């Protein structure tokens, strides 16, 4: 390249090192990363357990003890772990984010450790202004004990101690409570937190002289009989979650390193309520609020388990969403599904007791799982015109399984359909219509049909044409009165005789009605837009029962005004019977019709009025 056209070279710039404000970092940890100051004790236990694990990787028969001593606002934690040299202290304790699990050839064994992020000791600054660590290395027995003292302003000192300061390998952490945090270092609180976090730890952990670990876990202990085991697990559930379960489900997934139990809630809960599960990671309590552990449909159980495969987040208070967690979620869901199948096959009484409380959860599962739907067909209850029946029972009684998609539609037509011999299921409740429509896939040959207003009207008997023609003036007056409400009037003969009128519509009719109302209230621009959306959907219908004595008397009236008032009254009464929400126009109509009937009844002489 021509030297005259070449660009002058840029002098290399020296890299700069990030400066860490430890006070700001401590504030970040205490207010954003960790949910509570209590995690400081979990971090201390975790470091102690990891140190023992590291030592036993090289010395399998090394002692495995952790001792906690709390007194006078101070805490001392001693472990028999691998310990540190002076070089280790500078490299590990004084470098934020560096973990001993990444060094000394232990990278391949990281799965054996609880901590993965190298920030554990920082959590202690949440409750203490200073941290003092005295340690002696098991890997370098000739190295002198070393003392590391750190303050929350980011400063630290390191010094070596006489050999007699600590004669055995291991580490001791000393904390003195900061102002306002003394309660967290009290003996009672330390004991409670240690029990909570460390009850399943595999090593000898004690607060003073009290043993903390309670092994084997309740679900792994031998019991004299299955009944004794159920009682013991029920007691365990009550101690952990505060309720006595309907049943317990073993969660054993060896490939994922999972052992635990799911407790069935004794009362119904909302499917939208996120369950909080207790998850232990290699014996250490990770979280009490794991929400993503089970499939969404399994909202009727609370779990407690121990795992060695799931990854924690940086705060180690929740689970990292990855492929492993997804696989575990599916495996645990399969365990719960197998439990339900087992109840259906061998313990119908317990299944019935469970479904009486948690049928919604099983329906949620069955809509996605054909095998579960097939298993639960004889058990899941539905509201039908024949009473509460399972889909299997209803399908055996009726060649066509009619259903409605909303509760309102069911209430409209159920009495009439039942009187006409038409069986019908209320599909308006959560998941019901989906399950009904899936019925042919697990019960071949079953015919499923949505029951709409046209279907109901078709099942009602037509009135003799001559009689209907004689009532044409009455029907014209009635139709004129309800036409502004978007409702037609038809005459049919049906049972029961006690029902004078039936209001029928469908979703398309209600949609068109709502569009028309919005068009009336809109400005010119929106009225034009909504007008362009006008559909050809069928209008609602007021079906008058020609067999009803009241309808016969009203149809003989000669006064058009009185016919209109009576028609409005019948329309309002039919809406109320269907338990439909009333629009403002419907409420106004009811009031107007009621007042009109009162005026007519009090200002006329029934004996002389030819309208009678």
């Amino acid at each position: 390249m021509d030297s005259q056209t070449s660009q002058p070279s840029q002098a290399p710039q020296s890299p700069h090192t990030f400066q860490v404000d430890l006070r700001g970092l401590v504030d970040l940890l205490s207010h954003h990363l960790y949910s509570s100051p209590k995690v400081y004790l979990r971090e201390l236990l975790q470091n102690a357990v990891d140190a023992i694990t590291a030592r036993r990787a090289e010395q399998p028969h090394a002692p495995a003890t952790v001792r906690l001593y709390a007194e006078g606002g101070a805490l001392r934690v001693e472990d028999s772990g691998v310990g540190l040299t002076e070089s280790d202290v500078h490299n590990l304790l004084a470098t934020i984010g560096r973990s001993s699990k990444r060094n000394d050839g232990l990278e391949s064994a990281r799965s054996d450790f609880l901590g993965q992020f190298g920030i554990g000791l920082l959590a202690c600054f949440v409750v203490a202004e200073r941290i003092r660590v005295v340690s002696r290395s098991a890997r370098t027995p000739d190295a002198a004990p070393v003392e590391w003292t750190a303050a929350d302003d980011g400063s630290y000192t390191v010094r070596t101690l006489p050999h007699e300061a600590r004669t055995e390998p291991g580490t001791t952490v000393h904390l003195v409570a900061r102002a306002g945090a003394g309660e967290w270092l009290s003996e009672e609180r330390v004991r409670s937190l240690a029990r909570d976090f460390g009850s399943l730890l595999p090593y000898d952990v004690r607060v003073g002289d009290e043993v903390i670990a309670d092994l084997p876990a309740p679900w792994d202990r031998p019991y004299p009989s299955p009944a004794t085991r159920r009682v013991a697990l029920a007691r365990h559930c009550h101690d952990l979650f505060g309720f006595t379960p309907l049943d317990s489900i073993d969660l054993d997934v060896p490939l994922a390193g999972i052992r635990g139990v799911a407790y069935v809630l004794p009362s119904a809960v909302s499917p939208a309520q996120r369950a909080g599960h207790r998850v232990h990671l290699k014996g250490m309590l990770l979280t009490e609020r794991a929400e993503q552990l089970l499939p969404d449909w399994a909202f009727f159980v609370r779990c407690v388990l121990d795992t060695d495969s799931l990854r924690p987040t940086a705060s180690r208070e929740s689970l990292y969403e990855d492929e492993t967690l997804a696989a575990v979620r599916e495996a645990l869901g399969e365990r719960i599904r197998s439990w339900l199948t087992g109840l259906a096959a061998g313990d119908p009484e317990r299944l019935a007791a469970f479904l009486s409380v948690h049928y919604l959860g099983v329906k949620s599962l069955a809509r996605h799982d054909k095998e579960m739907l097939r298993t639960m067909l004889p058990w899941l209850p539905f509201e039908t015109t024949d009473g509460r029946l399972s889909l299997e029972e209803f399908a055996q009684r009726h060649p066509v399984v009619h259903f409605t998609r909303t509760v309102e539609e069911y209430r409209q037509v159920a009495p009439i359909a039942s009187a006409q011999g038409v069986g019908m299921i209320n599909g308006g409740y959560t998941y019901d219509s989906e399950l009904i429509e899936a019925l042919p896939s697990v019960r071949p040959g079953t015919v499923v049909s949505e029951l709409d207003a046209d279907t109901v009207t078709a099942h009602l008997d037509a009135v003799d044409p001559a009689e209907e023609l004689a009532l044409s003036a009455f029907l014209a007056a009635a139709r004129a009165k309800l036409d502004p409400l978007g409702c037609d009037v038809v005459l049919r003969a049906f049972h029961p005789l006690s029902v004078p009128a039936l209001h029928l519509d469908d979703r398309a009719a209600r949609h068109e009605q709502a569009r028309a109302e919005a068009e009336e209230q809109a400005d010119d621009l929106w009225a034009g837009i909504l007008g362009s959306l006008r559909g050809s959907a069928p209008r609602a219908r007021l079906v008058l029962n020609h067999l009803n004595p009241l309808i016969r008397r009203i149809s003989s009236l000669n006064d058009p005004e009185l016919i209109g008032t009576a028609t409005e009254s019948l329309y309002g009464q039919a809406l109320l019977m269907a338990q439909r929400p009333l629009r403002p126009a419907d409420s106004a109509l009811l009031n107007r019709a009621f007042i009109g009937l009162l005026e007519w009844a009090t200002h006329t002489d029934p004996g002389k009025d030819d309208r009678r």
Side-chain angles (χ1 to χ4, degrees):
M1 181 179 294
D2 190 338
S3 60
Q4 293 183 346
T5 61
S6 63
Q7 298 295 324
S9 60
Q10 297 288 335
Q13 297 183 356
S14 300
H16 299 280
T17 303
F18 282 106
Q19 301 298 310
V20 176
D21 178 359
L22 191 56
R23 286 188 187 274
L25 186 57
V26 169
D27 178 73
L28 178 67
L29 290 176
S30 59
H31 293 99
H32 301 283
L33 184 62
Y34 296 126
S35 62
S36 165
K38 69 181 183 180
V39 298
Y40 88 92
L41 191 71
R42 184 195 63 199
E43 298 296 338
L44 289 175
L45 285 175
Q46 174 181 284
N47 286 343
V49 170
D50 283 345
I52 294 172
T53 302
R55 184 177 179 185
R56 284 201 158 185
E58 301 175 0
Q59 304 173 18
H61 301 294
T65 62
V66 182
R67 299 289 184 266
L68 297 91
Y69 304 96
E71 185 178 1
L75 175 64
R76 184 172 84 256
V77 181
E78 301 177 352
D79 69 66
S80 60
V82 70
L84 301 170
T85 63
E86 182 177 1
S87 177
D88 293 334
V89 166
H90 284 290
N91 289 333
L92 302 176
L93 297 187
T95 305
I96 295 172
R98 180 173 295 174
S99 171
S100 62
K101 273 72 80 175
R102 300 190 183 98
N103 296 276
D104 302 311
L106 292 177
E107 179 69 28
S108 61
R110 287 189 71 202
S111 62
D112 293 332
F113 295 97
L114 302 175
Q116 302 284 316
F117 298 94
I119 58 175
L121 270 180
L122 288 179
C124 295
F125 282 124
V126 176
V127 296
E129 292 180 349
R130 302 179 70 83
I131 302 172
R132 177 171 167 257
V133 177
V134 177
S135 186
R136 183 164 187 167
S137 175
R139 296 195 183 112
T140 313
D142 296 336
V146 61
E147 177 189 72
W148 177 79
T149 304
D152 62 0
D153 62 1
S155 63
Y156 72 93
T157 61
V158 179
R159 67 188 180 103
T160 57
L161 301 176
H163 283 271
E164 60 269 16
R166 184 177 181 103
T167 58
E168 296 296 328
T171 300
T172 302
V173 179
H174 300 264
L175 301 181
V176 177
R178 65 167 60 243
E183 179 192 357
W184 292 104
L185 271 66
S186 67
E187 183 176 10
E188 181 179 356
R189 178 59 68 92
V190 168
R191 182 181 294 108
S192 174
L193 293 178
R195 285 200 202 105
D196 206 27
F197 286 121
S199 63
L200 299 184
L201 289 175
Y203 301 138
D204 180 8
V205 181
R206 304 187 185 198
V207 176
D209 295 328
E210 181 177 334
V211 177
I212 295 302
D214 187 20
L215 295 176
W219 50 84
D220 285 330
R221 295 172 190 168
Y223 295 96
S225 66
T228 305
R229 186 175 190 271
R230 280 197 298 270
V231 171
L233 290 179
R235 187 182 305 113
H236 177 246
C237 175
H238 191 274
D239 292 341
L240 282 185
F241 298 115
F243 65 85
T244 301
L246 282 178
D247 206 349
S248 57
I249 308 168
D250 285 322
L251 302 178
D252 184 8
V253 187
L255 291 179
I258 286 178
R259 289 284 297 162
V261 63
Y263 294 116
V264 181
L265 292 165
S267 56
V269 294
S270 167
Q273 180 177 329
R274 304 299 296 179
H277 307 293
R278 290 176 64 95
V279 177
H280 294 256
L281 180 61
K282 305 178 186 73
M284 180 74 73
L285 178 66
L286 179 71
T287 179
E288 301 172 275
R289 302 186 304 276
E291 296 182 348
Q292 68 273 49
L293 187 65
L294 295 180
D296 290 340
W297 55 262
F299 56 82
F300 49 83
V301 299
R302 296 292 181 269
C303 294
V304 54
L305 56 82
D306 187 27
T307 177
D308 60 13
S309 64
L310 299 178
R311 290 175 56 196
T313 58
S315 67
R316 291 189 287 279
E317 295 188 275
S318 58
L319 298 171
Y320 187 81
E321 185 68 50
D322 58 9
E323 293 181 358
T324 301
L325 179 57
V328 166
R329 183 163 47 235
E330 178 62 29
L332 295 181
E334 182 58 37
R335 293 296 183 275
I336 298 173
R337 186 185 289 108
S338 298
W339 170 78
L340 283 170
T341 303
L343 288 187
D347 200 339
E349 291 185 2
R350 286 171 67 198
L351 178 64
F354 166 76
L355 288 178
S356 67
V357 178
H358 296 299
Y359 62 90
L360 201 58
V362 179
K363 286 182 177 181
S364 176
L365 169 60
R367 68 195 177 112
H368 295 302
D369 189 320
K370 289 185 178 180
E371 188 58 38
M372 182 55 61
L373 176 58
R374 183 179 292 106
T375 301
M376 290 293 123
L377 271 182
W379 306 102
L380 290 176
F382 287 77
E383 181 181 356
T384 79
T385 49
D386 294 348
R388 289 189 70 80
L389 298 175
S390 69
L391 289 179
E392 178 68 26
E393 292 174 302
F394 188 86
Q396 290 175 355
R397 296 185 184 187
H398 299 278
V400 178
V401 177
H402 291 290
F403 74 99
T404 62
R405 291 191 182 275
T406 68
V407 175
E408 290 79 9
E409 291 172 350
Y410 179 82
R411 289 170 177 167
Q412 280 182 325
V413 300
I416 309 304
S418 180
Q420 305 303 312
V422 178
M424 190 171 69
I425 302 176
N426 184 357
Y429 296 114
T430 307
Y431 309 134
D432 281 9
S433 62
E434 297 175 69
L435 293 176
I436 297 168
E437 289 181 302
L439 186 57
S441 67
V442 297
R443 196 178 189 275
T446 304
V447 179
V448 173
S449 173
E450 182 177 354
L451 192 65
D452 55 19
D454 288 332
T455 305
V456 175
T457 305
H459 279 83
L460 305 181
D461 294 333
V463 177
D464 181 84
E467 291 188 51
E468 188 167 2
L469 181 62
L471 298 175
S472 58
F474 161 74
L475 291 174
R479 287 166 180 156
K481 195 67 176 178
L482 295 187
D483 184 69
L485 297 173
C487 183
D488 291 332
V489 178
V490 297
L491 188 66
R492 292 289 187 275
F494 56 86
H495 293 272
L497 300 179
S498 58
V499 177
L502 176 67
H503 181 271
L504 294 178
D505 65 1
D506 54 23
R507 287 182 302 282
R510 289 195 293 274
H511 175 75
E512 175 62 19
Q513 189 177 63
R515 187 211 58 78
E517 291 176 356
E519 182 179 357
E520 291 179 1
Q521 300 173 6
D523 56 27
D524 293 341
L525 173 61
W526 281 107
I529 295 174
L530 292 169
S532 67
L533 299 176
R534 182 180 297 111
S536 59
R539 286 151 56 96
R541 273 160 282 181
L542 182 67
V543 184
L544 303 180
N545 187 0
H546 189 54
L547 301 180
N548 180 267
L550 177 61
I551 295 299
R552 286 184 173 273
R553 288 198 297 271
I554 292 175
S555 63
S556 66
L557 295 174
N558 296 319
D559 185 344
E561 182 178 348
L562 184 55
I563 291 175
T565 299
T567 302
E568 287 182 331
S569 300
L570 290 169
Y571 174 82
Q573 188 265 351
L575 285 179
L576 293 175
M577 289 299 294
Q579 301 183 45
R580 289 285 306 279
L582 299 180
R583 301 170 295 162
D586 297 329
S587 298
L589 175 146
L590 278 172
N591 290 332
R592 183 171 63 248
F594 179 72
I595 297 299
L597 289 176
L598 284 179
E599 290 180 348
W600 178 79
T602 56
H603 289 84
T604 60
D605 183 351
K608 299 179 180 179
D609 197 325
D610 60 0
R611 293 175 296 184
R612 301 281 294 179

